[in-house]
Amino acid sequence: MERLVRSCYKKKSGYVFAKKAEDIAREYGMTRIARLASNENPEPLSPAALEAAEAALKTVNRYPDERVNVLMNALRATYGDFHFVTGVGMDGVIETIIRTLVEPGEKVAISTPTFSFYALAAMGQGAEVVTIPREADFSADPKRLVNAAKDAKITVLCSPNNPTGNATPIPVVEEILEGIEGLLFLDNAYVEFSGIDYLPLMKKHENLVLGRTMSKVHSLAGLRIGYAFTPRWLPPWYQRAGTPFTVNAVSMAAAAAALGDTAHAERYRAQVKRWRTRFTDEVKYPVLPSDANFVMIDVAPHRSDEMVEELARKGVVVRSCRSFAGLEDHYIRVSVGEDWENELFVKVINTL
Ligand SMILES: *Cc1c(COP(=O)(O)O)cnc(C)c1O
């Protein structure tokens, strides 16, 4: 019966997940694994978020609020008077925005190497995917981008970029916004670690969406909740294109409470700042400059997968960058975890 499956899914491989710490622990008989592969905040969720989630769990016999009021109010209290959409992770937001705007055959332009889900979501919508390689230092050249993406319905730029870690400066983003005819989806999954504030651009540009997630600094990856700042015109159409209930009741409540716990986010941001410097100073391989909560490391002459395997053997799980199209095969991506995890990583990689 597999003949029924769409050919686009048969031609391309799907999302590549990081190795699971549990699998590695079993394979090598280890009890304690440093999990540095998925860019999560290692600290458990905020107690306020846990309490809100527990209370919401008692209401789940009823459908959630389709207007997502609790979360919308928390977003406005945190950021001010902007327009927002929400979804099942930022991944869900990306998928719905593509569904809202892109007809089959229209272009989605993506600055690469980067997060792979954009291309998968665009492909699923029947879009033509155009990739625009970054420069040798992984910066995005605005002229090249605009040239290739001029007539694209959506252009996707990740800043800070996963997996390279660098952010795109505001003037470059503005040049892109002014040059393209379509919408710019600026993926800000890691912006909380960067010190760059793209929000003022929202007031000036009608074709900008800033994608955000509760999965990283806010410790809510397991609840699958994302949102985006959008221009005023987009939310009613997004709601038409999306599933009727964009966010479940438990996730909504937890996310709203988590946004209010600024001390929680601040602790991890401080940890990230400390360890980006320490990784750079202490790892014997070149560590690329990062504005995110991870660093990309050039492990040449080793291959990505080989290095990941060697580290796993010693109890450290990091991400191989082999699956990021457009990147040479000698990089790994390492998240900032707890002190003991980061210390173990430094110790082990320096023996390899
Ligand atoms: C983690 C991540 C996301 C967000 O993922 P969700 O968990 O779906 O919110 C989005 N973009 C990038 C680049 C990421 O690394």
Side-chain angles (χ1 to χ4, degrees):
M1 288 307 281
E2 279 158 329
R3 65 185 164 79
L4 301 179
V5 175
R6 287 173 61 195
S7 61
C8 65
Y9 292 116
K10 289 180 178 161
K11 276 199 295 252
K12 287 256 164 87
S13 64
Y15 189 84
V16 178
F17 294 91
K19 280 193 156 214
K20 292 264 172 298
E22 292 75 12
D23 295 348
I24 289 168
R26 205 175 314 112
E27 195 174 332
Y28 298 114
M30 275 175 298
T31 47
R32 211 155 98 119
I33 304 279
R35 302 173 172 230
L36 305 177
S38 299
N39 303 339
E40 299 135 332
N41 183 339
E43 189 177 324
L45 80 174
S46 149
L50 180 59
E51 196 179 311
E54 280 172 346
L57 197 51
K58 297 185 180 133
T59 72
V60 298
N61 59 313
R62 304 292 181 190
Y63 278 101
D65 173 14
E66 71 278 8
R67 294 156 305 174
V68 203
N69 268 340
V70 171
L71 179 53
M72 292 294 180
N73 291 340
L75 287 168
R76 281 190 282 267
T78 306
Y79 296 111
D81 192 18
F82 290 94
H83 302 276
F84 298 97
V85 296
T86 56
V88 179
M90 194 204 303
D91 296 346
V93 173
I94 291 164
E95 191 180 65
T96 305
I97 289 185
I98 293 174
R99 190 153 69 233
T100 310
L101 303 183
V102 182
E103 305 276 8
E106 289 186 329
K107 282 186 197 165
V108 172
I110 303 169
S111 168
T112 59
T114 196
F115 190 54
S116 66
F117 184 68
Y118 316 127
L120 290 168
M123 174 194 87
Q125 193 55 39
E128 181 191 337
V129 174
V130 178
T131 54
I132 304 132
R134 286 171 174 259
E135 308 306 297
D137 62 357
F138 301 118
S139 63
D141 178 71
K143 299 207 171 40
R144 271 207 321 138
L145 228 141
V146 166
N147 242 343
K150 208 168 183 28
D151 58 342
K153 222 24 173 331
I154 301 179
T155 299
V156 185
L157 182 66
C158 187
S159 180
N161 187 40
N162 179 2
T164 56
N166 58 315
T168 301
I170 287 176
V172 174
V173 172
E174 286 217 273
E175 192 174 336
I176 296 166
L177 284 167
E178 279 155 20
I180 58 175
E181 286 160 19
L183 181 110
L184 178 67
F185 185 91
L186 193 68
D187 181 330
N188 274 178
Y190 302 100
V191 79
E192 289 92 343
F193 307 106
S194 75
I196 297 188
D197 182 8
Y198 294 107
L199 280 183
L201 297 180
M202 290 305 306
K203 304 278 184 199
K204 289 196 272 176
H205 298 275
E206 274 220 292
N207 61 341
L208 174 62
V209 170
L210 301 180
R212 299 286 182 94
T213 178
M214 299 301 295
S215 300
K216 306 283 159 55
V217 74
H218 294 294
S219 300
L220 295 179
L223 284 182
R224 311 302 309 120
I225 183 153
Y227 63 97
F229 293 81
T230 75
R232 176 194 298 276
W233 58 269
L234 184 60
W237 303 109
Y238 178 98
Q239 274 144 28
R240 265 199 214 190
T243 53
F245 299 94
T246 55
V247 179
N248 75 66
V250 177
S251 299
M252 193 186 320
L259 284 168
D261 191 344
T262 48
H264 174 98
E266 195 40 53
R267 273 194 300 281
Y268 185 46
R269 282 152 47 108
Q271 172 80 343
V272 166
K273 273 210 184 109
R274 253 192 319 275
W275 275 96
R276 282 193 306 224
T277 309
R278 283 196 60 183
F279 282 154
T280 307
D281 293 346
E282 296 175 26
V283 172
K284 73 176 187 188
Y285 297 94
V287 174
L288 280 83
S290 171
D291 297 294
N293 67 333
F294 56 83
V295 290
M296 192 164 85
I297 301 178
D298 183 348
V299 295
H302 300 276
R303 297 287 190 91
S304 320
D305 284 0
E306 167 207 330
M307 184 53 106
V308 168
E309 197 58 41
E310 290 294 325
L311 287 163
R313 227 182 267 282
K314 307 261 169 61
V316 182
V317 190
V318 304
R319 173 72 196 240
S320 165
C321 292
R322 188 168 70 92
S323 65
F324 289 92
L327 200 57
E328 285 173 14
D329 187 18
H330 50 86
Y331 294 100
I332 59 171
R333 192 193 69 197
V334 184
S335 317
V336 173
E338 294 180 47
D339 286 340
W340 74 267
E341 296 178 296
N342 307 334
E343 278 158 10
L344 181 63
F345 163 72
V346 171
K347 192 174 124 210
V348 173
I349 194 168
N350 284 343
T351 67
L352 296 172

